[in-house]
Amino acid sequence: MAESETDYLRQCLRQNVCPTCQGPLTSKVGTGQFKDGVFCSLGCQAKWHDSAMRKRHQERTKKAEKKKDE
């Protein structure tokens, strides 16, 4: 079992499986940065990074609202 998220992502890449759905990596999708992972589809990549993307969106929305109020 992997000790951290990074270890798990490395393990999945070595085994040539998607970390989200455990399907084979027939095509590789990702940011190009290893720390972000390699996925079989954009959908799996989005599921893996869902909470981080939601948090970033909320922060950007708050910033935009703040600028609007100034």
Side-chain angles (χ1 to χ4, degrees):
M1 186 169 159
E3 293 180 21
S4 69
E5 182 176 292
T6 304
D7 290 340
Y8 177 68
L9 292 172
R10 285 180 202 261
Q11 181 181 352
C12 287
L13 184 58
R14 270 188 257 123
Q15 295 173 354
N16 203 37
V17 296
C18 177
T20 305
C21 71
Q22 300 300 307
L25 292 174
T26 54
S27 63
K28 295 180 180 178
V29 177
T31 63
Q33 294 185 354
F34 179 78
K35 66 181 177 85
D36 293 334
V38 178
F39 304 89
C40 66
S41 69
L42 226 53
C44 281
Q45 182 184 18
K47 284 179 189 175
W48 183 267
H49 294 289
D50 183 58
S51 61
M53 290 189 309
R54 285 178 191 267
K55 184 178 176 181
R56 189 171 70 194
H57 175 72
Q58 289 172 347
E59 289 171 357
R60 287 183 177 181
T61 302
K62 283 180 186 177
K63 277 185 179 180
E65 288 175 0
K66 219 178 205 182
K67 281 185 177 181
K68 198 180 211 182
D69 292 339
E70 290 178 350

